[in-house]
Amino acid sequence: MSMNKNTKSTSRVIDSDNLFNELMKKVKGYNDSIDEKLMSKAYNTAKKYHQEQFRKSGEPFIIHPLKVAMILAEIEMDQTSIVSAILHDVVEDTEYSLEKITEEFGNSIARIINGVTKLDKLVFNTREEQQVNNIRKMIIAMSEDVRIILVKLADRLHNMRTLSPLDKEKRDKIAKETLEVYAPIAHRLGIYQIKSELEDLSFKYLHQKEYRKIKDMVNERIRERKSLVDEVIGLVSEKLEEVSISSDISGRVKSYYSIYNKITGQNRKFDDIYDVLAIRIIVDDIKSCYAALGIIHSLWKPIPGRFKDFIANPKFNMYQSLHTTVIGLKGKPLEVQIRTYEMHRVAEYGIASHYKYKESGFRLSEFDKRVAWIRQLLDWQKELKDPQEYMESLKLDLFEEEVFVFTPKGRVINLPRGATPIDFAYTIHTDIGHNAIGAKVNGVMVPIESTLENGDIIEIIVSKSPKGPSRDWLNLVKTSRAKNKIRQWFSREQRQETYNSGREIMLKILRKNSLSFKTVKNNIFEDVARDMNFDSADTLFRSIGSHKVSAHQVFTRVIKKLSQAEEKQELKIEDIKEREETRESRSGIKVKGMKEVLVTMAKCCNPVPGDRIVGYISRGKGISVHRSDCKNVKTLMKRDSERFIEVSWDSRAPEKFNSEIQIEAIDRTKLLRDITNAISEYDLNILRANSLKVDQAGHIKFRFLIEINNKYILKDVINNIRQIDSVYDAFRITPGK
């Protein structure tokens, strides 16, 4: 069925006769007993009934069934399949009836066309509870004639090749369905040629940016390694000729979607994917396969764990080959595949590769055994009326990388191959996964890390008292859901731990400054958190605990908020009556009884908020503010005590005041860096830094003039500097020093 059919022509016309002639030539190339009259009859019938139909691209509709037939010819399908492909849309889209097809083309072709028409009407749902139902319908179709599925796969492939005229919503829906339903079926049947193209086309439409990125990386890798691969092929050909082994050697590029799956599903880097570019060696017989393998391993060192013998142990879909990865020329990893010509045919065409032998009356082949197995599944469905019993009997390995297992109530769950009961538990429900302590598989207790197989019935044993997952599970589970849920559990636990740690760090700093969480209310931390762009104080404490934020920076802001709150409270209670008489200057100093007066900070003592201060009325300089313990204050008090006036810190004080500190230490490499880093943790600006003296013993003194908020911050800065290795003292410079 064409998914972009239109009933009106728009522009270009493609010559369908030439396309049919190409099809005939292709089929004759592998089937010299073709019935040309039957083929021509099918073409003329389809052309007649589709003549008024056009696709959205503007091309005549007849091109679509011919292209579908050509896809089947490329995998060398039998004539019945080719004719069925040419006629596959006439019953659904025209007045040409199934009875007429039976009469003119026979039962086999009519049966295939009828099967394809039924599959066209399937509405696929990816929800787990619908999965088995879809698989059952596919089994029914395959049991009637596997060629039904093959025609449908070719039909879907051509639709994917011509998907661009449709709108994005339709493209995405079709691409998703192709990726989740049809590509896995092609894989199950071993038709890698169709499977890989279906995946890449779906990938292209569903993840356009990722597709382009991987395509560019692959093309770049090919350009980089082409000469290297050519050199490898030449060397291997020469060695095989020396031992009289005839071979066909070529380079092979991994599909884009397969690379994407390895990067996202296995969390691997592009450069760690060894088989992006590989070489394939095709020889005459099995003996030559192993001989070629020996030559490869004699030339280059194999990578341990990267050898797979699919000849002795074929895959479920009949795939056979030897795979090995070696450290090749220039130390570059290289994957090598070795197989016979017949194995290569099966690898590319899968179950379709056996069909012409069936038509020719050959002995029962592996293909017939596969069909017999599919029919057995259908027999189970007829015999087992209970859906649960049927599902227990259903051991269909649709994906190589997936297994189907069941709940005790018969619900089907698909998991990655190698999955454990832990994966199963998390797939059912997060809480079941968190509290799983054991598992029964097919009624038998097994370790919870056991590997599940197709058809297993799983029962999870859950702890009555919540226990939580084990960190070891992260190394056992295969599903992203299980990994994410386990990580989330420990992330929540870690958040609590970092919160506790951050709160403890903050408490220690507060205690060093004679403060506590009781004296510093939570609303102050909430305000600081918002100022620092955190959503809450809890988040702020977690950031401190995880060392993403300096606790000293937080303390600086806390003290500032605390000082402002105290000043506001002081104004409300004590100074409200005197507010009109008080000058709230930009200097941050309130001078009692004066409104307009110049205020300056005394350079001799550099007072900062929190210091006890006094004001001195100086001639021509306004009010000079000193620390109460300033040496000059004592001198002035004796000489001119009447010039002193009461001053206090203003709640609107500037953010920064100058203060000087001295640091004494034993000199070492990076000492100055460590000191400046300690000061910078408080978001303080260093105005001046001097190295005072270095004696022969290596002692050094630094003086820093810094902008400070208040004495609490200054005290904590000094305490922090004293913790630096080789610093033996740090203090604020007092007057006269």
Side-chain angles (χ1 to χ4, degrees):
M1 174 182 175
S2 174
M3 295 182 180
N4 51 15
K5 183 175 60 182
N6 204 343
T7 55
K8 294 183 180 180
S9 174
T10 57
S11 55
R12 60 195 178 93
V13 176
I14 297 176
D15 191 340
S16 60
D17 291 343
N18 287 341
L19 184 56
F20 175 71
N21 290 335
E22 290 177 17
L23 174 65
M24 288 291 292
K25 183 179 179 180
K26 183 73 174 177
V27 176
K28 284 181 182 178
Y30 65 86
N31 184 359
D32 54 12
S33 61
I34 186 174
D35 186 341
E36 294 187 36
K37 288 184 179 180
L38 183 66
M39 291 277 289
S40 296
K41 182 180 178 181
Y43 167 58
N44 290 326
T45 300
K47 185 179 180 182
K48 174 184 175 182
Y49 284 95
H50 289 308
Q51 64 180 340
E52 299 299 326
Q53 296 175 341
F54 296 85
R55 309 187 89 204
K56 287 192 180 295
S57 62
E59 71 179 13
F61 188 83
I62 185 61
I63 299 300
H64 169 67
L66 289 177
K67 290 282 189 178
V68 172
M70 183 66 80
I71 290 171
L72 293 175
E74 287 169 355
I75 61 174
E76 301 186 2
M77 281 300 295
D78 63 302
Q79 179 177 277
T80 300
S81 301
I82 303 295
V83 172
S84 299
I86 295 172
L87 296 168
H88 81 274
D89 273 328
V90 292
V91 172
E92 186 174 358
D93 296 334
T94 75
E95 69 273 15
Y96 196 65
S97 66
L98 188 64
E99 290 76 15
K100 194 72 172 174
I101 287 180
T102 305
E103 179 185 335
E104 295 187 3
F105 294 94
N107 289 327
S108 294
I109 291 172
R111 184 176 63 248
I112 292 172
I113 293 172
N114 186 42
V116 173
T117 302
K118 287 180 179 179
L119 286 180
D120 286 340
K121 295 176 181 177
L122 276 184
V123 178
F124 290 100
N125 191 328
T126 58
R127 291 164 54 194
E128 290 173 347
E129 58 266 28
Q130 293 294 327
Q131 216 160 26
V132 169
N133 202 29
N134 288 332
I135 293 170
R136 292 172 77 167
K137 291 174 183 177
M138 288 294 180
I139 290 171
I140 293 172
M142 285 189 286
S143 68
E144 291 175 354
D145 195 322
V146 176
R147 290 174 291 189
I148 294 171
I149 295 294
L150 298 177
V151 173
K152 183 59 191 171
L153 287 173
D155 174 55
R156 178 51 64 104
L157 178 55
H158 185 249
N159 280 326
M160 289 300 299
R161 288 175 177 175
T162 56
L163 203 57
S164 55
L166 301 184
D167 61 65
K168 186 178 186 307
E169 184 178 351
K170 288 183 179 179
R171 287 201 308 265
D172 288 352
K173 179 180 180 298
I174 294 167
K176 192 169 187 291
E177 182 182 276
T178 300
L179 195 60
E180 294 179 349
V181 178
Y182 289 101
I185 290 173
H187 180 69
R188 179 65 182 81
L189 298 177
I191 313 172
Y192 286 101
Q193 183 171 306
I194 289 179
K195 174 247 187 188
S196 295
E197 190 174 355
L198 286 175
E199 287 180 339
D200 279 354
L201 288 170
S202 300
F203 178 36
K204 174 183 175 182
Y205 286 108
L206 292 174
H207 305 283
Q208 294 181 12
K209 291 181 180 178
E210 293 87 343
Y211 175 84
R212 286 195 297 268
K213 177 66 174 175
I214 289 177
K215 183 178 180 181
D216 290 343
M217 289 193 295
V218 169
N219 290 337
E220 184 178 349
R221 174 67 64 85
I222 291 172
R223 286 193 296 271
E224 289 176 354
R225 301 190 63 183
K226 186 178 185 306
S227 59
L228 196 65
V229 171
D230 289 343
E231 188 176 349
V232 168
I233 291 173
L235 181 58
V236 173
S237 296
E238 183 181 332
K239 293 295 183 182
L240 290 175
E241 286 177 8
E242 288 177 3
V243 293
S244 302
I245 295 179
S246 175
S247 65
D248 183 1
I249 308 176
S250 60
R252 177 202 63 85
V253 179
K254 195 172 186 66
S255 74
Y256 302 140
Y257 182 69
S258 181
I259 294 170
Y260 173 74
N261 267 347
K262 286 196 172 184
I263 292 174
T264 57
Q266 300 179 19
N267 196 26
R268 293 170 66 181
K269 295 180 180 178
F270 180 77
D271 290 336
D272 294 336
I273 302 174
Y274 298 141
D275 56 346
V276 170
L277 193 61
I279 67 166
R280 180 175 291 148
I281 303 172
I282 305 177
V283 295
D284 292 328
D285 50 38
I286 293 177
K287 180 178 70 175
S288 298
C289 289
Y290 289 100
L293 177 69
I295 289 173
I296 294 295
H297 284 179
S298 68
L299 289 171
W300 301 291
K301 184 178 180 179
I303 297 176
R306 295 286 302 172
F307 170 66
K308 295 178 182 178
D309 187 346
F310 294 119
I311 293 179
N313 300 290
K315 293 186 180 182
F316 65 89
N317 53 19
M318 302 180 286
Y319 177 88
Q320 288 183 292
S321 189
L322 296 176
H323 290 194
T324 187
T325 303
V326 297
I327 301 298
L329 294 176
K330 299 181 180 179
K332 299 289 186 182
L334 177 72
E335 183 178 91
V336 181
Q337 298 177 355
I338 308 170
R339 60 181 68 148
T340 67
Y341 287 95
E342 180 57 29
M343 290 174 190
H344 181 63
R345 176 182 169 81
V346 173
E348 292 297 301
Y349 306 154
I351 207 166
S353 65
H354 295 264
Y355 230 105
K356 66 177 184 179
Y357 298 126
K358 182 176 174 63
E359 277 197 332
S360 303
F362 275 60
R363 62 182 176 79
L364 189 69
S365 64
E366 184 66 27
F367 163 80
D368 298 282
K369 295 176 185 177
R370 294 286 173 177
V371 173
W373 178 73
I374 293 170
R375 289 189 179 123
Q376 185 181 31
L377 293 177
L378 182 63
D379 292 339
W380 286 343
Q381 182 186 8
K382 292 176 180 177
E383 294 171 5
L384 303 175
K385 302 300 181 184
D386 184 349
Q388 179 180 343
E389 291 183 33
Y390 170 70
M391 285 190 289
E392 289 173 1
S393 303
L394 180 61
K395 299 193 176 183
L396 174 61
D397 195 352
L398 186 58
F399 302 91
E400 179 188 11
E401 289 81 18
E402 286 194 294
V403 293
F404 287 91
V405 295
F406 303 91
T407 69
K409 292 185 178 180
R411 177 185 169 194
V412 65
I413 304 294
N414 63 301
L415 296 168
R417 183 171 294 281
T420 67
I422 307 170
D423 293 289
F424 177 88
Y426 277 103
T427 302
I428 300 300
H429 196 281
T430 300
D431 288 341
I432 293 177
H434 285 339
N435 299 305
I437 56 174
K440 286 184 179 180
V441 175
N442 302 322
V444 178
M445 287 293 297
V446 300
I448 202 165
E449 66 273 13
S450 301
T451 301
L452 300 180
E453 300 293 341
N454 273 314
D456 284 344
I457 303 171
I458 319 299
E459 180 183 355
I460 300 298
I461 312 298
V462 179
S463 172
K464 292 182 180 179
S465 55
K467 56 181 281 293
S470 165
R471 284 191 183 274
D472 294 339
W473 290 2
L474 285 170
N475 299 320
L476 300 173
V477 295
K478 299 295 182 182
T479 60
S480 59
R481 175 182 172 83
K483 286 184 185 293
N484 290 336
K485 293 300 181 182
I486 295 168
R487 288 193 185 108
Q488 286 172 12
W489 169 278
F490 287 108
S491 178
R492 283 195 297 271
E493 276 204 343
Q494 186 177 13
R495 284 204 301 271
Q496 186 61 45
E497 290 173 3
T498 54
Y499 169 81
N500 294 339
S501 175
R503 194 174 171 85
E504 184 64 28
I505 291 170
M506 199 71 241
L507 180 59
K508 288 180 180 178
I509 293 176
L510 292 174
R511 283 175 175 169
K512 281 196 303 182
N513 292 278
S514 303
L515 296 170
S516 68
F517 283 116
K518 188 175 181 179
T519 54
V520 181
K521 303 299 183 184
N522 190 59
N523 65 302
I524 289 180
F525 283 104
E526 291 289 348
D527 290 343
V528 170
R530 282 192 292 272
D531 290 347
M532 298 181 73
N533 296 319
F534 291 102
D535 56 12
S536 67
D538 289 355
T539 308
L540 177 61
F541 288 135
R542 283 197 293 270
S543 296
I544 294 171
S546 58
H547 305 291
K548 294 178 181 177
V549 170
S550 166
H552 300 295
Q553 290 179 3
V554 176
F555 177 71
T556 301
R557 293 172 181 262
V558 167
I559 292 301
K560 180 182 175 184
K561 295 280 184 184
L562 193 61
S563 299
Q564 290 174 350
E566 288 174 350
E567 290 290 345
K568 288 177 182 177
Q569 186 178 30
E570 179 185 345
L571 280 173
K572 288 178 182 178
I573 297 172
E574 298 176 11
D575 294 339
I576 192 67
K577 293 179 181 178
E578 300 178 9
R579 188 164 185 149
E580 292 297 326
E581 302 175 8
T582 303
R583 168 64 179 160
E584 296 180 344
S585 71
R586 293 182 181 178
S587 65
I589 298 296
K590 297 184 297 184
V591 182
K592 191 170 184 179
M594 294 188 182
K595 293 184 178 180
E596 301 294 335
V597 63
L598 177 64
V599 177
T600 59
M601 297 295 168
K603 301 296 183 183
C604 55
C605 57
N606 286 328
V608 296
D611 286 339
R612 296 180 65 183
I613 54 177
V614 295
Y616 179 75
I617 303 172
S618 57
R619 292 182 177 87
K621 294 184 179 179
I623 306 297
S624 178
V625 179
H626 294 257
R627 284 169 45 183
S628 297
D629 60 354
C630 177
K631 183 178 180 181
N632 289 339
V633 167
K634 295 177 183 178
T635 302
L636 291 170
M637 188 71 73
K638 293 177 182 178
R639 189 178 66 192
D640 217 356
S641 61
E642 68 276 7
R643 288 181 179 274
F644 284 91
I645 188 170
E646 183 180 342
V647 293
S648 61
W649 293 107
D650 186 5
S651 61
R652 301 177 190 177
E655 291 186 359
K656 305 293 183 183
F657 294 85
N658 295 345
S659 186
E660 192 166 17
I661 59 175
Q662 181 164 309
I663 301 159
E664 298 177 358
I666 299 172
D667 197 19
R668 63 172 172 83
T669 304
K670 298 181 180 179
L671 173 61
L672 182 58
R673 182 203 64 180
D674 293 344
I675 293 171
T676 54
N677 285 346
I679 297 172
S680 298
E681 279 192 4
Y682 293 83
D683 288 332
L684 302 179
N685 187 27
I686 301 174
L687 300 176
R688 186 176 67 242
N690 294 318
S691 172
L692 300 182
K693 180 182 178 182
V694 178
D695 61 21
Q696 293 181 349
H699 295 274
I700 187 169
K701 295 180 181 180
F702 293 102
R703 279 196 177 180
F704 289 89
L705 183 65
I706 60 176
E707 288 183 331
I708 201 78
N709 295 90
N710 52 57
K711 71 173 186 179
Y712 297 105
I713 299 299
L714 184 60
K715 178 182 176 183
D716 204 59
V717 170
I718 291 172
N719 286 337
N720 199 25
I721 291 173
R722 285 173 178 165
Q723 307 304 314
I724 297 173
D725 184 34
S726 85
V727 172
Y728 55 82
D729 200 3
F731 49 87
R732 181 179 180 183
I733 299 296
T734 57
K737 287 284 186 179

